[in-house]
């Protein structure tokens, strides 16, 4: 039962005249005291005494917008997240309007940029990810990279095929007239690909269905043609692995529609044996590899006990594995027997227990943490597994029946020579004194680690040690920069001697033989000033 209060309207449609308060702004700082409180009307006091809910009465002189307050203008309640009124006697925390400070740098929210800070050095860290685009900017023109002469283009191809070492001076006075520079640039853009279908974009393969949609693929419904394509691909894949094993090929990539594999020769990335990294993987792929007897590890997953034995791929006998499972099950229900209620409580079936134990393996599928490392002779078993794996090729969609893409820095059997696309652009940018020229060089395509290092070495000389670059990474390959534990430290001189005929520049070989430090991230921005690199990942 509501209490009747004189002059109070519960509907708030026609409040009494006593509640029509007019808030007047103070005309001077001394118009009212900051501690002075407005007396409450008799009607409001009666409503509060009766226990009726009322809106809080605005206190005068407490905020910037209160009548009789010391501030000259009403405060904008949306100016800050903290909308508490500032006391009159409290000095302002921030600077005055005429002394506003410059806003601080916006924090980077991406994992890679916040995890690894920018660094300065004379050399870039090794980056094993594949780049899809490089955008260089400089105050000096890149016109030397355009319109190569026929002789320069031919010379660049010959230098690549013969693995000719080109050494440029620290600074080139007129890059446009330097034939040596232009030939070396042509040499750095060459890569080798299989299969080669000019009307289909064969990199990247992960998430490429939209780009391939509507393209002609006569093999999708022709099993004979699919068999021929797969047979040629198997020959090329085996040729690449043999070159890698004999240290005539430094590394190569296998790009499927589900995952990417990086094979590295012994001596690169600080490893003394042939290694293979697969990312991303699923529980089904890992189970299939274990069934084939391939020993592997999950470098980003901390394992222990039975889980470590399972993830390492060591083949346990069926009886031994069943015994371990039964033992774990008996231990998990032993407490029911101690209480004497084992027969009254229904136990979960074996399948439910298995799924519950392996749920963490399913949760990391398609994530960077699912990266798999295969070492030593197990890489040869992996080779046979990939050749015979039916799930390696899509059975439906635009990529149906198309073998995986092989990318290599050197020639191999069945490969086709390809060129990265490069173009220079000149634009006008606004400067305090007017407009100034800004020159840029864009390179697109599957940019592998050796190409990135070669191009940066050329720009170091052509741009007089001053340029910046934005690097766009094929994200599934960023995790290839992890650094698993090493058994021993390799001798650099021995590595260079063994890989001397792998087709890379000695400086590039020295760069790729270093231990990766980027972890799950990759280079995103590079800036060189006075021949000093400043990079961010």
């Amino acid at each position: 039962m509501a209490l009747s209060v004189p002059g109070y309207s519960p509907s708030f449609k026609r409040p009494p005249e006593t509640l029509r308060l007019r808030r007047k702004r103070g005309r001077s700082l001394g118009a009212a005291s900051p501690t002075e409180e407005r007396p409450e009307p008799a009607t409001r006091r009666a409503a509060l005494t009766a226990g009726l809910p009322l809106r809080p009465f605005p206190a005068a002189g407490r905020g910037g917008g209160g009548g009789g307050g010391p501030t000259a203008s009403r405060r904008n309640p949306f100016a800050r997240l903290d909308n508490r009124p500032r006391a009159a006697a409290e000095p302002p925390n921030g600077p005055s309007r005429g002394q506003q400070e410059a806003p601080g740098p916006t924090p980077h929210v991406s994992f890679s940029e916040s995890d690894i800070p920018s660094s300065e050095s004379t050399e870039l860290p090794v980056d094993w990810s594949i780049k899809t685009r490089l955008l260089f900017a400089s105050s000096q023109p890149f016109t030397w990279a355009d319109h190569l002469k026929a002789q320069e283009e031919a010379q660049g191809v010959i230098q690549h095929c013969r693995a000719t070492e080109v050494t440029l001076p620290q600074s080139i006075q007129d890059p446009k007239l330097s034939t040596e520079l232009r030939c070396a640039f042509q040499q750095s853009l060459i890569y080798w690909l299989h299969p080669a279908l000019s009307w289909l974009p064969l990199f990247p393969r992960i998430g490429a269905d939209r780009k391939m949609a509507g393209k002609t693929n006569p093999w999708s419904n022709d099993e004979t043609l699919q068999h021929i394509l797969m047979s040629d691909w198997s020959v090329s894949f085996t040729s690449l692995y043999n070159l890698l094993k004999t240290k005539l090929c430094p590394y190569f990539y296998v790009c499927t529609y589900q995952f990417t594999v990086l094979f590295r020769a012994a001596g690169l990335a600080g490893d003394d044996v042939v290694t293979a990294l697969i990312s991303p993987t699923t529980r089904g792929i890992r189970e299939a590899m274990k069934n084939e007897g391939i020993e592997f590890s999950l470098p980003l997953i901390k394992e222990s006990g039975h889980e470590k034995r399972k993830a390492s791929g060591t083949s346990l006998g069926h009886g031994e594995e069943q015994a371990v499972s039964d033992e774990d099950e008996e231990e998990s229900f032993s407490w029911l027997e101690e209480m004497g209620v084992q027969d009254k409580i229904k136990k979960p079936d074996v399948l439910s227990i298995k799924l519950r134990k392996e749920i963490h393996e399913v949760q990391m599928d398609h994530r960077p943490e699912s990266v798999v490392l295969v070492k030593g002779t197990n890489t040869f078993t992996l080779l046979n597994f990939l050749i015979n794996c039916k799930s390696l090729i899509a059975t439906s969609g635009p990529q149906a029946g198309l073998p995986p893409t092989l990318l290599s820095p050197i020639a191999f059997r069945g490969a086709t020579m390809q060129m990265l696309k490069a173009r220079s652009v000149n634009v006008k940018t606004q400067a305090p004194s007017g407009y100034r020229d800004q020159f840029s060089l864009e390179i697109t395509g599957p940019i592998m680690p050796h190409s990135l290092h070669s191009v940066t070495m050329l720009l170091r000389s052509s741009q007089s040690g001053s340029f910046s670059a934005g690097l766009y990474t094929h994200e599934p390959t960023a995790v290839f920069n992890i650094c698993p534990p090493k058994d021993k430290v390799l001798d650099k001189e021995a590595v260079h001697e063994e890989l001397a005929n792998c087709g890379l520049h000695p400086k590039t070989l020295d760069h790729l033989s270093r231990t990766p430090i980027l972890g799950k991230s990759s280079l995103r921005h590079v800036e060189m000033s006075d021949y000093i690199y400043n990079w961010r990942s």
Side-chain angles (χ1 to χ4, degrees):
M1 179 177 178
L3 298 177
S4 61
V5 179
Y8 174 73
S9 174
S11 63
F12 291 98
K13 292 182 179 179
R14 298 183 62 185
E17 293 295 331
T18 53
L19 291 181
R20 295 183 181 275
L21 303 177
R22 193 178 184 89
R23 302 174 65 182
K24 300 180 181 180
R25 298 181 180 179
R27 301 182 181 275
S28 61
L29 295 177
S33 173
T35 58
E36 192 176 351
E37 297 185 358
R38 186 188 298 269
E40 295 183 347
T43 309
R44 184 176 180 86
R45 290 199 301 270
L48 292 173
T49 305
L52 297 175
L54 295 177
R55 296 178 61 185
F57 191 82
R62 292 184 182 179
T71 53
S73 60
R74 184 177 181 182
R75 178 179 174 274
N76 182 7
F78 303 102
R80 296 174 56 196
L81 292 178
D82 185 6
N83 278 333
R84 293 174 299 176
R86 191 176 292 164
E90 178 185 352
N93 294 329
S96 61
R97 291 188 177 182
Q99 299 175 348
Q100 290 291 337
E101 295 181 356
T106 305
H108 299 282
V109 296
S110 64
F111 171 80
S112 59
E113 292 182 2
S114 60
D115 185 58
I116 299 180
S118 60
S119 301
E120 293 184 359
S121 64
T122 56
E123 294 291 337
L124 287 175
V126 61
D127 189 347
W128 286 101
S129 64
I130 305 178
K131 307 298 179 184
T132 58
R133 181 171 176 252
L134 303 178
L135 185 59
F136 296 95
S138 176
S139 58
Q140 300 184 23
F142 291 97
T143 52
W144 56 268
D146 285 337
H147 308 296
L148 273 69
K149 299 178 182 178
Q151 184 179 0
E152 294 170 340
E153 183 175 349
Q155 183 65 30
V157 172
I158 293 299
Q159 289 179 183
H160 169 81
C161 295
R162 296 178 179 176
T164 305
E165 179 183 344
V166 179
T167 303
L168 298 175
Q170 185 177 14
S171 179
I172 301 176
Q173 297 299 328
D174 194 349
K176 193 173 183 179
L177 300 178
S178 176
T179 303
E180 192 178 20
L181 171 66
R182 291 159 66 88
C183 293
F185 182 67
Q186 174 79 2
Q187 179 182 356
S188 65
L189 298 180
I190 297 176
Y191 67 97
W192 297 84
L193 173 77
H194 180 87
L197 305 170
S198 57
W199 70 93
L200 280 181
L202 294 174
F203 179 84
R205 295 292 296 273
I206 299 177
D209 288 355
R210 182 176 298 179
K211 293 183 179 180
M212 291 187 178
K215 305 289 185 179
T216 304
N217 50 352
W219 53 82
S220 59
N221 298 318
D222 191 339
E223 293 185 1
T224 303
L225 189 54
Q226 290 182 15
H227 178 74
I228 294 173
L229 289 175
M230 194 62 193
S231 177
D232 292 344
W233 180 84
S234 301
V235 171
S236 298
F237 188 18
T238 306
S239 170
L240 257 180
Y241 183 83
N242 291 335
L243 290 170
L244 184 87
K245 191 175 180 180
T246 55
K247 299 185 178 181
L248 296 177
C249 174
Y251 65 91
F252 66 90
Y253 294 88
V254 182
C255 306
T256 75
Y257 77 105
Q258 286 184 315
F259 56 85
T260 305
V261 188
L262 167 62
F263 284 86
R264 289 190 297 222
L268 296 186
D271 291 305
D272 58 344
V273 294
V274 177
T275 59
L277 287 167
I278 311 174
S279 175
T281 63
T282 61
R283 178 177 175 272
I285 295 174
R286 296 190 294 270
E287 288 291 336
M289 292 173 60
K290 281 187 280 188
N291 293 336
E292 290 294 325
I294 302 175
E295 296 185 8
F296 63 88
S297 62
L298 299 169
L300 298 182
I301 302 297
K302 295 182 179 180
E303 303 141 344
S304 60
H306 179 52
E307 296 178 0
K308 188 172 183 179
R309 288 198 303 270
K310 287 179 65 180
S312 64
T314 51
S315 55
L316 291 174
H318 179 72
E320 183 181 352
E321 188 173 353
Q322 184 68 28
V324 173
S325 178
D326 295 342
E327 182 181 352
D328 293 342
E329 184 179 351
E330 291 177 1
E331 291 179 358
S332 60
F333 295 108
S334 60
W335 61 278
L336 293 175
E337 298 178 1
E338 296 177 359
M339 298 178 63
V341 294
Q342 67 274 13
D343 298 330
K344 299 180 181 179
I345 298 179
K346 183 180 179 181
K347 299 180 181 180
D349 57 314
V350 179
L351 181 60
S352 300
I353 297 174
K354 184 178 181 181
L355 291 176
R356 186 172 183 180
K357 289 180 179 179
E358 298 176 351
I359 190 172
H360 68 283
E361 295 185 18
V362 179
Q363 289 176 344
M364 70 178 180
D365 287 354
H366 303 290
R367 298 173 63 89
E369 290 77 14
S370 66
V371 61
V372 163
L373 173 64
V374 183
K375 303 179 69 173
T377 56
N378 288 282
T379 56
F380 180 73
T381 312
L382 177 64
L383 166 76
N384 295 323
F385 168 76
L386 293 177
I387 290 177
N388 300 314
C389 182
K390 294 182 179 180
S391 61
L392 198 68
I393 302 176
T395 57
S396 62
Q399 302 190 55
L402 185 62
T405 301
L406 300 176
L407 293 173
S408 170
I410 68 162
F412 58 96
R413 186 173 176 181
T416 303
M417 179 185 289
Q418 301 289 334
M419 297 285 298
L420 300 174
K421 296 180 180 179
R423 67 185 185 99
S424 62
V425 180
N426 303 336
V427 296
K428 296 281 188 179
T429 57
Q430 194 170 4
S433 59
Y435 289 90
R436 63 183 179 88
D437 292 326
Q438 182 69 30
F439 306 98
S440 62
L441 175 66
E442 182 185 38
I443 300 176
T444 56
I447 305 163
M448 289 181 279
H450 76 285
S451 296
L452 174 61
H453 185 263
S454 299
V455 171
T456 53
M457 282 199 308
L458 296 179
L459 297 185
R460 180 190 184 102
S461 300
S462 65
Q463 309 306 117
S464 301
S466 178
F467 66 87
S468 62
L471 293 78
Y472 299 82
T473 305
H474 180 47
E475 290 303 329
T477 63
V479 75
F480 291 157
N481 290 315
I482 61 172
C483 180
K486 308 298 180 184
D487 298 331
K488 60 180 180 179
V489 180
L490 302 182
D491 184 8
K492 287 188 176 182
E493 294 183 359
V495 170
H496 291 177
E497 184 178 353
E498 293 174 356
L499 293 170
N501 298 321
C502 70
L504 297 182
H505 191 282
K507 291 185 179 179
T508 304
L509 179 60
D510 178 69
H511 176 72
L512 297 181
S513 62
R514 298 176 182 175
T515 303
I517 63 172
L518 295 176
K520 293 188 293 184
S521 61
S522 61
L523 291 177
R524 309 286 177 177
H525 180 78
V526 172
E527 184 174 356
M528 171 173 273
S529 179
D530 295 331
Y531 299 96
I532 299 296
Y533 282 111
N534 190 314
W535 54 271
R536 187 171 70 245
S537 62

